[in-house]
Amino acid sequence: MRVIDRYAFGNALRDVDPSQKGALALLAIILCLALDHPAVGILTLVWMLALTTWRARTPLRVFASVLLTEGAFLGLSVAGIALSVASSVPEAPVFAWQFGPIWVSATHKSLMLAAHVLTRTLGSAAALNFLILTTPLVDLIEMLRRMRLPEGLIDIMALTYRAIFVLLDSLERMVTAQDARLGYHTLHAAMRSAALIGSCLFLDAYRRSQQIQTALESRGFDGSLRVLPLDYRRDPRMWQIGVGLTLSLVLARMIA
Amino acid sequence: MSALLEFDDVHYAFPGSAIPALRGASLSIATGQRIALTGRNGAGKSTLLLHANGILRPAKGQVRLDGAPLEYTRRGLLRVRRQVGLVFQNPDDQLFSASVLQDISFGPMNLGLSIADVRRRVAEAADLCGISNLLDRPTHALSSGQKSLVALAGVLAMAPRILLVDETTSGLDPWMRYQIFAIFDRLVEQGVTVLLTTHDLTVARQWADTVVVMHEGRVVASAPPVQVFADPDLQALLGPAP
Ligand SMILES: Nc1ncnc2c1ncn2[C@@H]1O[C@H](COP(=O)(O)OP(=O)(O)OP(=O)(O)O)[C@@H](O)[C@H]1O
Ligand SMILES: [Mg+2]
């Protein structure tokens, strides 16, 4: 969370209008799903990787580690599609292993399907990663505000986002304080300490919400969090990139 | 000197607590003063400040601004909060937005200024506090000293006539403290009244022109530092002077 957040705030596309970046990511996802071909999925991934590392200058390492984390979950579910576990072997398996009475096997068809799902999902995930690695939540919330989402909803999102970090800080302090008093010395102590933190953190969050309310009131709060709109740069290159992306993906689909 | 802000025999008990936090606190503040409000933990300093801009309402007694009692209506409160700015002890309790710029803009936006005026106010406040370079940084990536400055800027952007600061300078390094006091001095030059609660008797002695001492919910002294620190009873109350 903190890593993603840090790069979201520090990348070279930070000041580009979030609706442009959002539209590009959405376009990529729609194309990826609509054209529905492994080549398209892979090409989308390449595009997003290039945009994130080359245009936004986010290290490849960061993009890769976020994608691999998602990939690990994906891999597990895709394995379920690729492999079949049964007491008999299906016709024309690509491979089949026997474990006692059980056969684990995969057919050409199941492997193709798995590859299909995997590439399609990875392509879409990469597009989302491009968005979250280049656009901090502050900007995404601002984008939703401009799309005229209900104010109350926007306010809650903004407050929650800020509160997450304040609570993370409290959490760290509490854990350190417990640790310093041997709170995590044994497994038993660790479990008790962790349980205590749960309730402390809740009380802390409650107290803080009251404090924030008081502080907001003292600055004239009357029910809605009015703030200045943020300024962004419109990047003409984003349109060109959008066109290039569309053309290349359609082309890939036609060739493959 | 005519009184700018007056507390007249203010009583207050927090809901559910048996012992009242304020038991007849009276204090008069004039324009252009630099006041250090001190007293032991739990003496009622923060509670008094919360009465100054109408967050809390006295159970008995009165708070007056420019001689007129505070009105606890929406318009009355907005008028008070426009003039009396309050900076809280912990910046994390005050900063609600993940965007420094948006947080500072919150107060002036509530004053109903135009976007252009708000932008100007934000820029001025940020400049005064020396945080213009932090405006596009996320709040959670700031150090605690920087957060204090942002919290201060958020209040100064409302251009208050009275600035009440609750313990912001504790936990700051000497350089940062120096910065903050330089800001206070600039404000006083501009005619703003600055009141600071503090446990730091050096601050009370050297920076303030008036030291106010609270004890058990009452104001027990309000006088120039030399006078306060010469009083053996107050000395005993506050602890050994530096
Ligand atoms: N939210 C609250 N609910 C109940 N009691 C409170 C609350 N806030 C403060 N009190 C009580 O009111 C009294 C005055 O508290 P206050 O915070 O005004 O003291 P203070 O002078 O600011 O102390 P410190 O120097 O520790 O900041 C204390 O006895 C405190 O326990
Ligand atoms: Mg206090």
Side-chain angles (χ1 to χ4, degrees):
Chain A
M1 170 97 191
R2 286 202 206 235
V3 175
I4 294 177
D5 193 69
R6 194 161 61 240
Y7 284 102
F9 273 102
N11 73 87
L13 291 180
R14 159 73 165 92
D15 59 344
V16 172
D17 197 318
S19 47
Q20 281 192 314
K21 290 181 282 191
L24 191 67
L26 192 67
L27 177 71
I29 292 172
I30 289 174
L31 286 173
C32 201
L33 297 180
L35 298 176
D36 196 19
H37 190 279
V40 173
I42 291 171
L43 193 57
T44 310
L45 192 142
V46 172
W47 264 102
M48 293 302 139
L49 182 114
L51 282 175
T52 313
T53 55
W54 173 63
R55 292 284 296 167
R57 301 209 194 90
T58 303
L60 178 62
R61 175 177 49 80
V62 176
F63 186 88
S65 74
V66 174
L67 193 68
L68 282 179
T69 318
E70 294 156 350
F73 284 101
L74 255 174
L76 283 178
S77 42
V78 166
I81 299 175
L83 305 175
S84 81
V85 180
S87 55
S88 62
V89 187
E91 266 178 57
V94 177
F95 61 81
W97 301 313
Q98 191 175 16
F99 298 95
I102 292 172
W103 284 91
V104 175
S105 62
T107 62
H108 183 70
K109 213 174 123 198
S110 74
L111 283 179
M112 283 309 288
L113 184 64
H116 205 106
V117 171
L118 185 71
T119 49
R120 192 168 71 163
T121 333
L122 273 183
S124 313
L128 264 187
N129 290 350
F130 160 72
L131 184 63
I132 62 168
L133 280 171
T134 55
T135 317
L137 216 66
V138 176
D139 294 350
L140 290 177
I141 293 173
E142 181 76 17
M143 183 178 85
L144 296 177
R145 195 195 304 275
R146 288 182 190 184
M147 287 163 64
R148 308 232 172 266
L149 242 69
E151 244 174 46
L153 205 64
I154 300 285
D155 291 350
I156 289 174
M157 277 194 268
L159 287 175
T160 308
Y161 175 57
R162 166 89 185 109
I164 286 172
F165 289 95
V166 173
L167 277 183
L168 272 178
D169 283 345
S170 310
L171 179 67
E172 270 167 23
R173 266 200 305 277
M174 287 179 196
V175 171
T176 313
Q178 287 183 329
D179 202 15
R181 285 175 289 164
L182 298 179
Y184 294 89
H185 204 56
T186 63
L187 184 64
H188 180 71
M191 274 159 60
R192 222 186 30 163
S193 299
L196 266 175
I197 281 205
S199 56
C200 287
L201 209 57
F202 177 77
L203 286 178
D204 193 63
Y206 179 73
R207 187 194 62 78
R208 242 173 234 290
S209 69
Q210 301 232 303
Q211 281 285 351
I212 285 274
Q213 163 103 22
T214 304
L216 287 177
E217 274 176 25
S218 83
R219 283 198 278 164
F221 178 60
D222 66 353
S224 81
L225 294 175
R226 279 183 295 260
V227 289
L228 271 184
L230 297 171
D231 281 332
Y232 302 107
R233 169 170 69 88
R234 285 210 165 250
D235 186 352
R237 292 289 289 276
M238 295 298 271
W239 294 110
Q240 298 165 14
I241 291 170
V243 173
L245 177 77
T246 312
L247 288 180
S248 67
L249 290 186
V250 171
L251 207 66
R253 172 68 226 232
M254 279 162 35
I255 294 171
Chain B
M1 284 193 293
S2 66
L4 177 58
L5 181 67
E6 278 173 292
F7 301 88
D8 186 1
D9 191 35
V10 175
H11 289 255
Y12 184 82
F14 281 97
S17 79
I19 308 161
L22 295 181
R23 311 181 207 179
S26 296
L27 178 65
S28 181
I29 294 171
T31 304
Q33 277 191 299
R34 27 176 112 204
I35 303 167
L37 173 58
T38 185
R40 289 189 196 157
N41 291 122
K45 303 182 293 292
S46 302
T47 312
L48 191 73
L49 297 195
L50 290 176
H51 279 84
N53 79 350
I55 299 281
L56 297 180
R57 186 175 183 162
K60 182 171 166 263
Q62 225 175 33
V63 181
R64 286 190 290 270
L65 186 64
D66 285 322
L70 297 200
E71 283 172 44
Y72 296 87
T73 59
R74 214 177 130 216
R75 286 189 52 216
L77 288 175
L78 191 62
R79 197 176 321 133
V80 178
R81 286 164 190 172
R82 181 193 299 261
Q83 309 200 40
V84 183
L86 184 50
V87 184
F88 288 81
Q89 207 152 353
N90 181 352
D92 275 335
D93 289 342
Q94 179 174 336
L95 303 176
F96 72 93
S97 173
S99 151
V100 169
L101 174 89
Q102 291 191 326
D103 198 287
I104 299 177
S105 72
F106 174 69
M109 287 294 280
N110 286 332
L111 297 180
L113 303 173
S114 69
I115 296 283
D117 281 342
V118 173
R119 279 190 199 288
R120 195 173 39 75
R121 288 274 188 104
V122 171
E124 280 168 9
D127 184 47
L128 180 63
C129 297
I131 51 164
S132 301
N133 57 333
L134 302 181
L135 284 179
D136 61 351
R137 290 262 291 274
T139 313
H140 49 263
L142 303 182
S143 76
S144 56
Q146 290 169 329
K147 280 184 197 167
S148 300
L149 289 174
V150 172
L152 179 61
V155 173
L156 291 183
M158 298 179 79
R161 290 163 70 204
I162 308 173
L163 180 69
L164 309 172
V165 184
D166 204 347
E167 281 281 355
T168 317
T169 53
S170 55
L172 297 185
D173 66 46
W175 184 84
M176 195 64 99
R177 277 170 60 101
Y178 178 78
Q179 300 301 309
I180 289 211
F181 278 104
I183 296 169
F184 292 160
D185 286 342
R186 293 258 298 274
L187 290 170
V188 172
E189 274 168 33
Q190 293 168 15
V192 178
T193 305
V194 180
L195 182 151
L196 181 65
T197 76
T198 181
H199 293 295
D200 186 338
L201 297 182
T202 313
V203 167
R205 187 191 283 273
Q206 292 178 355
W207 172 80
D209 59 24
T210 307
V211 176
V212 176
V213 184
M214 284 191 76
H215 187 56
E216 295 182 344
R218 290 189 195 87
V219 175
V220 294
S222 171
V226 268
Q227 218 167 312
V228 167
F229 289 108
D231 185 327
D233 290 343
L234 292 177
Q235 283 276 356
L237 187 78
L238 293 175

